Amino acid sequence: MTPEQRLDRLERLAKLFAKAGLRARNEFRKQDEILMDAQMRNEASIARNEERFAKLAEAQIRLTDSQIHTDQRLDALIDIVRESRGNNPSSSA
């Protein structure tokens, strides 16, 4: 193989390496874009879920307060019924 042929071969290899490097760089850029897009969608989803969980927690607190109030009113009603039965002479059978 002549020196000129070797030089031509090296030039072809250098061009192949350069093209392969450009393709790899483009692929990495595409993958980065895909990952960034997925990350942004994921963060938006997390934010929506945090809002939903906050609303659920508020609703749960309101429900608990309502149950406490209902229990208090039921206890008062039970006391009223017991007092009325205790004060009623016909109920002591």
Side-chain angles (χ1 to χ4, degrees), residues 13-30:
L13 286 172
K15 286 179 185 179
L16 288 174
F17 280 124
K19 286 180 183 179
L22 288 173
R23 279 194 306 271
R25 185 182 301 165
N26 287 335
E27 276 299 313
F28 287 138
R29 284 184 184 158
K30 287 178 187 177

Side-chain angles (χ1 to χ4, degrees), residues 72-88:
Q72 290 170 344
R73 293 182 72 189
L74 183 59
D75 288 342
L77 178 61
I78 290 170
D79 289 342
I80 291 169
V81 169
R82 282 184 181 158
E83 286 176 8
S84 70
R85 285 187 177 172
N87 292 338
N88 187 351

Side-chain angles (χ1 to χ4, degrees), residues 5-36:
Q5 289 173 330
R6 285 184 180 171
L7 186 58
D8 288 343
R9 183 176 179 196
L10 287 174
E11 285 177 353
R12 281 195 315 271
L13 286 172
K15 286 179 185 179
L16 288 174
F17 280 124
K19 286 180 183 179
L22 288 173
R23 279 194 306 271
R25 185 182 301 165
N26 287 335
E27 276 299 313
F28 287 138
R29 284 184 184 158
K30 287 178 187 177
Q31 289 175 357
D32 282 346
E33 289 174 9
I34 290 169
L35 288 174
M36 284 189 285

